[in-house]
Amino acid sequence: MDVLRLIHGYQFGTALALLFPTPYALATLVLFLWSLGPAIKRQVRTGFLVWLRLTWGLTLIPVVTGVILAVGGGKVPSAVNVGGGLTRYGLPYDPSRDWEHWMYSALCLISLYVIEVLVKGRLIRHQTGLRYLPVATLFLYGCAYMVGRVAVFPGSTPGT
């Protein structure tokens, strides 16, 4: 279980962690920046599709390990009281953060599916869909960022 926690909970420890706390958030930020090209040129190239598949992989690794940890009784660190009303990060614990972590994770999966629909031209004309690609990838980045944030920081209801 410790190996799963290590894989699932990996975070960057640098000052840049404010922009992308996890490798997944970094991948989604790069995807957002890269999506500006297809939106402007109205054409998707192979490099963008490869990065999109890599992002899917970086999504599924924490999803699978998170589900395994949850089935084993694990909760997000910000929702666990390790003593004195604090988390392992020394912040007040907040049990409501556990469901928020699940919500943002689900929104990431839904966003990736929407991006696939926009790129493939299903349900919406391909050229029109590419116009909305930066919006979808920015939303994905925001959700990926919040997945890492709610895992560490307490919300507005700490200790309740």
Side-chain angles (χ1 to χ4, degrees), residues 18-124:
L18 294 173
L19 286 175
F20 41 88
T22 62
Y24 176 54
L26 174 60
T28 58
L29 178 61
V30 170
L31 189 70
F32 163 65
L33 296 173
W34 205 329
S35 73
L36 297 173
I40 293 168
K41 295 179 182 177
R42 306 274 191 266
Q43 178 182 350
V44 178
R45 298 195 184 206
T46 306
F48 180 81
L49 293 174
V50 168
W51 194 262
L52 181 59
R53 299 305 176 266
L54 177 70
T55 305
W56 267 108
L58 287 173
T59 302
L60 294 177
I61 290 170
V63 165
V64 170
T65 57
V67 168
I68 293 169
L69 288 169
V71 168
K75 293 196 179 296
V76 66
S78 63
V80 178
N81 182 0
V82 295
L86 300 176
T87 67
R88 71 177 184 188
Y89 299 109
L91 300 167
Y93 84 103
D94 186 356
S96 68
R97 293 306 245 185
D98 200 46
W99 78 265
E100 287 181 63
H101 191 70
W102 282 97
M103 176 190 70
Y104 285 118
S105 300
L107 287 172
C108 285
L109 289 171
I110 292 168
S111 299
L112 278 168
Y113 177 74
V114 168
I115 291 167
E116 287 285 345
V117 167
L118 294 175
V119 167
K120 297 293 183 189
R122 297 184 182 134
L123 301 176
I124 188 169

